[in-house]
Amino acid sequence: MKSFDPCYFREQFPLLSTIDKAASEISSLVYFDNAATTQKPLTVINSQQDFYQQINANVHRASHQLSAKATLQFEQSRQLAQNFINAASIKEIIWTKGATESINIVCQSLARDVLSKGDEIVICASEHHANIVPWQQVAKQTGANIQVLPLTDSGYIDISQLDKVITQNTKFVACAHISNVLGRINPVEQVIEKAKSVGALTLIDGAQAVAHINVDVQQLGCDFYVFSAHKMYGPTGIGLLYGKQCLLEKMSPYQSGGEMIKTVSFNKPTTFNSLPFKFEAGTPNIAGVIGFGASIAFLKPLLTNQDKKYQLFEAKLKHYCFLQLRDIEQVEFLVSGEPDIGVIAFTIKGHHNHDIATALDTYGIAVRSGHHCAMPLMETLKLDGCLRVSLAPYNTIAEIDFFINTLKGILSGETLDDNNTVNAVDLKDIHLEGNSSKPTELAKIITLFSSTKGWDSRHREIMLLGKTLPRLEKTDRDEHSLIAGCESKAWLKSSMDKQGNYSFVADSDAKVIRGLLVIVLAAFNHKPAKEIAEFDVSAYFKQLGLLQHLSPSRGNGLLAIVDKIKELTSPSE
Ligand code: PLP
């Protein structure tokens, strides 16, 4: 597909077309979480299957034909990758697990060797954790300091601050080409130029850029460029590190073992393989690399076509979605103005972002809520988290309309109606306990959910249960009661009576978490430590039909609540 056609493009993605066709039987999908990972086109899926079915063999080492075929395809992908970003040499393309591992390689194989006390590493305020934590680690190892480039009101790296932040002490500058939250194309050319002027090395995190803009690393002039295949229609678990050959030559290997060696002896020092293999220890992700090559072959013609239809369609979707969201009174964007790519972050006045994301999910609309692996950015913006809609060119205007109408319905209370009544049990006395003729809280919850079918109804019941949870005083919501590991803020306190039974009170900013707290507390309240320790919480959630429906972050949140209860009631406490 040289020239972009939206319908044909969408048809290339079997997951979307399967769901389109089956929409009347199973819930439909509006996938607006493309910044997390994109869906995969048939050509990528087939390339991996064909590899396993037709040419599966290890690469580089064997002397048989099958290995020669596998090696050829494997190395053809490297050529495609070289061409994709216009690297000067194929030796500059190192296969990694993804952007995260690529950054770790630079930090541990180069920065660790060259940094010393007082040196500075400059990153930007909107970085993904993948481009923060590896630098924090190497700063700790070497005594270097981290300096942060601030943002403008519209969410770009503030270039007016470059001279102040990037100084003679700066040894590395690492920043995202495009923020995964703000969707702004950062002025990386100016950042690189400034870094060069003080002799600092540059790493550009292109994880969110490569699916949207044509990248030319030689034109950019950066020292390192990193990205992952899965955000550009390729497989998960594979990505690359581009590095200037002269730097890669000097760097020590990241991992050691097979493939990255030239000679190994018990009597002489081991010598290392040449580039790029020096950084590719062990059997590589061969199918992943071949799939990565297929995704590049799929995407590159679209990105470089002179008609720009791919980019124009992306821009049209983004602009339409932005305008529709802007028209909703309660929507507050994180920064001013329209993003450059279809990554739109916002909060909704009076609603917790997790409640909105969970409600949208009941309509098959997949958006992201939380900190988006950019906790320092949330801190800067004084937010706990936000909602993020991220679009791809297989999305449609009709999907945006459905999303906007559903969101408006949720906000107008059509779906989370305060006047809704709970149908299965009378929840008025759900917290009254101790009368043996009355069912326990636990039994009530089980009865309620056993008569509730489907995720929509269960979600509704969770939201209604949330309303029955008494709110905690503000003074009780402190760092001691905070539940670590729960993405929305949640707090839990315990007390024990004379008989050794524990009681819990809890609260959260998010309604959906308050509902889940009621469910969890019903299992643990008024029980002694031994019963709490022995309670099979997984079986309980399974019985309620929750496990298969809760999103990973909600599932982790549930486990974090249970962990806190167990921590508070374990004998050592
Ligand atoms: N950098 C940015 C800007 C990202 O958005 C992400 C993933 O979301 C990463 C780095 C890390 O990518 P991966 O998890 O594929 O290594």
Side-chain angles (χ1 to χ4, degrees):
M1 188 187 18
K2 288 235 159 54
S3 183
F4 174 76
D5 168 69
C7 297
Y8 181 69
F9 186 77
R10 186 175 170 97
E11 282 167 16
Q12 303 307 303
F13 293 82
L15 188 143
L16 300 173
S17 51
T18 312
I19 288 177
D20 283 348
K21 284 196 194 99
S24 50
E25 287 109 55
I26 58 170
S27 63
S28 61
L29 170 73
V30 173
Y31 186 73
F32 283 175
D33 195 16
N34 294 288
T37 197
T38 54
Q39 297 304 335
K40 316 304 170 203
L42 210 51
T43 175
V44 170
I45 298 168
N46 286 347
S47 71
Q48 293 193 278
Q49 180 155 342
D50 289 351
F51 167 73
Y52 284 123
Q53 280 186 348
Q54 293 164 24
I55 54 166
N56 177 49
N58 213 329
V59 287
H60 298 138
R61 288 170 235 174
S63 49
H64 53 77
Q65 286 182 34
L66 208 55
S67 172
K69 277 190 191 165
T71 306
L72 186 68
Q73 279 209 12
F74 184 82
E75 290 304 326
Q76 272 170 352
S77 287
R78 207 186 300 267
Q79 270 167 12
L80 284 166
Q82 179 198 352
N83 175 257
F84 184 59
I85 54 170
N86 192 29
S89 161
I90 200 147
K91 294 182 175 176
E92 298 180 326
I93 304 294
I94 315 286
W95 300 127
T96 65
K97 280 193 295 187
T100 304
E101 189 177 51
S102 304
I103 298 169
N104 275 281
I105 292 175
V106 175
C107 288
Q108 291 304 314
S109 291
L110 178 64
R112 193 172 179 174
D113 290 340
V114 302
L115 286 173
S116 49
K117 201 167 176 345
D119 286 342
E120 289 178 354
I121 302 160
V122 171
I123 56 177
C124 161
S126 55
E127 293 312 313
H128 187 282
H129 295 162
N131 201 24
I132 300 175
V133 186
W135 295 108
Q136 287 178 329
Q137 292 293 93
V138 74
K140 208 158 82 186
Q141 289 157 345
T142 59
N145 301 312
I146 300 212
Q147 301 295 327
V148 180
L149 275 170
L151 301 174
T152 62
D153 290 347
S154 42
Y156 295 94
I157 290 178
D158 187 351
I159 50 167
S160 73
Q161 300 300 306
L162 288 184
D163 288 346
K164 208 157 122 198
V165 183
I166 301 178
T167 68
Q168 292 300 328
N169 294 332
T170 308
K171 296 292 175 278
F172 284 91
V173 178
C175 64
H177 206 161
I178 300 185
S179 149
N180 65 310
V181 183
L182 304 174
R184 265 66 182 172
I185 304 177
N186 275 319
V188 289
E189 292 84 354
Q190 278 125 302
V191 177
I192 292 166
E193 202 182 306
K194 177 66 199 169
K196 273 187 183 161
S197 75
V198 298
L201 296 174
T202 49
L203 180 147
I204 304 299
D205 172 2
Q208 294 295 339
V210 281
H212 306 281
I213 57 177
N214 195 28
V215 171
D216 181 331
V217 288
Q218 293 190 71
Q219 205 177 327
L220 283 176
C222 56
D223 295 299
F224 298 98
Y225 197 93
V226 305
F227 57 101
S228 304
H230 70 98
K231 294 188 197 284
M232 46 171 280
Y233 314 117
T236 53
I238 184 76
L240 71 76
L241 164 65
Y242 157 79
K244 281 188 180 155
Q245 191 177 341
C246 56
L247 292 166
L248 292 171
E249 298 281 11
K250 279 191 231 150
M251 286 162 58
S252 39
Y254 179 63
Q255 287 189 334
S256 37
E259 191 77 11
M260 50 74 70
I261 51 85
K262 201 179 276 166
T263 58
V264 181
S265 161
F266 285 132
N267 305 314
K268 286 183 287 195
T270 291
T271 56
F272 302 130
N273 208 337
S274 53
L275 289 175
F277 311 112
K278 184 172 88 174
F279 292 101
E280 293 177 2
T283 299
N285 178 359
I286 306 169
V289 165
I290 290 169
F292 194 176
S295 72
I296 294 171
F298 174 77
L299 176 62
K300 179 81 178 171
L302 298 170
L303 282 177
T304 51
N305 198 311
Q306 289 194 337
D307 66 13
K308 299 242 177 281
K309 279 191 183 168
Y310 177 84
Q311 288 95 335
L312 289 171
F313 187 71
E314 278 208 296
K316 178 177 160 184
L317 288 177
K318 178 257 300 181
H319 185 61
Y320 184 72
C321 189
F322 176 75
L323 292 186
Q324 296 298 310
L325 280 168
R326 200 180 60 180
D327 275 353
I328 300 176
E329 205 193 328
Q330 298 97 318
V331 165
E332 293 182 336
F333 296 110
L334 264 62
V335 288
S336 65
E338 186 174 331
D340 296 318
I341 63 159
V343 172
I344 310 176
F346 56 97
T347 57
I348 296 198
K349 230 183 292 168
H351 293 267
H352 196 282
N353 56 72
H354 286 323
D355 290 336
I356 300 291
T358 317
L360 287 168
D361 185 44
T362 63
Y363 294 88
I365 302 169
V367 301
R368 191 49 86 90
S369 66
H371 53 61
H372 312 284
C373 293
M375 283 166 113
L377 174 66
M378 296 301 138
E379 234 174 11
T380 309
L381 298 172
K382 299 191 174 36
L383 293 172
D384 284 342
C386 65
L387 286 151
R388 180 185 71 186
V389 165
S390 52
L391 306 169
Y394 42 64
N395 291 130
T396 64
I397 295 286
E399 285 182 323
I400 296 172
D401 284 339
F402 177 61
F403 155 65
I404 294 290
N405 288 335
T406 308
L407 181 58
K408 284 180 179 164
I410 292 167
L411 298 181
S412 69
E414 260 170 44
T415 54
L416 305 177
D417 191 349
D418 277 8
N419 300 321
N420 278 342
T421 50
V422 182
N423 44 23
V425 288
D426 179 8
L427 287 172
K428 278 200 305 286
D429 58 355
I430 196 156
H431 293 287
L432 300 177
E433 187 72 13
N435 179 341
S436 59
S437 66
K438 285 192 170 184
T440 62
E441 291 175 21
L442 183 67
K444 285 180 189 174
I445 297 281
I446 292 170
T447 313
L448 172 62
F449 278 85
S450 62
S451 63
T452 310
K453 300 281 173 262
W455 174 232
D456 292 6
S457 320
R458 288 195 171 98
H459 170 253
R460 198 172 139 264
E461 298 301 356
I462 293 170
M463 299 304 277
L464 291 167
L465 281 177
K467 290 173 196 277
T468 69
L469 188 73
R471 304 304 306 262
L472 274 186
E473 293 295 331
K474 271 218 168 91
T475 47
D476 284 332
R477 300 195 219 159
D478 56 22
E479 61 187 54
H480 302 295
S481 58
L482 191 69
I483 302 175
C486 194
E487 258 212 45
S488 333
K489 279 210 167 129
W491 303 266
L492 182 121
K493 292 186 73 170
S494 67
S495 57
M496 193 174 66
D497 66 15
K498 284 187 193 134
Q499 286 76 44
N501 293 321
Y502 281 91
S503 292
F504 303 95
V505 284
D507 199 358
S508 171
D509 285 344
K511 284 184 199 154
V512 64
I513 301 292
R514 289 208 290 281
L516 293 172
L517 280 167
V518 171
I519 292 171
V520 173
L521 296 195
F524 292 110
N525 247 336
H526 317 300
K527 302 246 166 74
K530 187 168 180 296
E531 264 184 61
I532 289 174
E534 286 170 2
F535 187 78
D536 184 349
V537 79
S538 302
Y540 174 49
F541 294 150
K542 200 165 161 204
Q543 189 179 7
L544 301 186
L546 292 184
L547 272 190
Q548 66 274 39
H549 291 298
L550 284 175
S551 67
S553 66
R554 276 339 65 79
N556 291 340
L558 258 183
L559 295 180
I561 298 165
V562 174
D563 284 350
K564 176 92 178 175
I565 289 177
K566 296 207 166 163
E567 177 197 311
L568 289 170
T569 56
S570 71
S572 59
E573 290 300 313

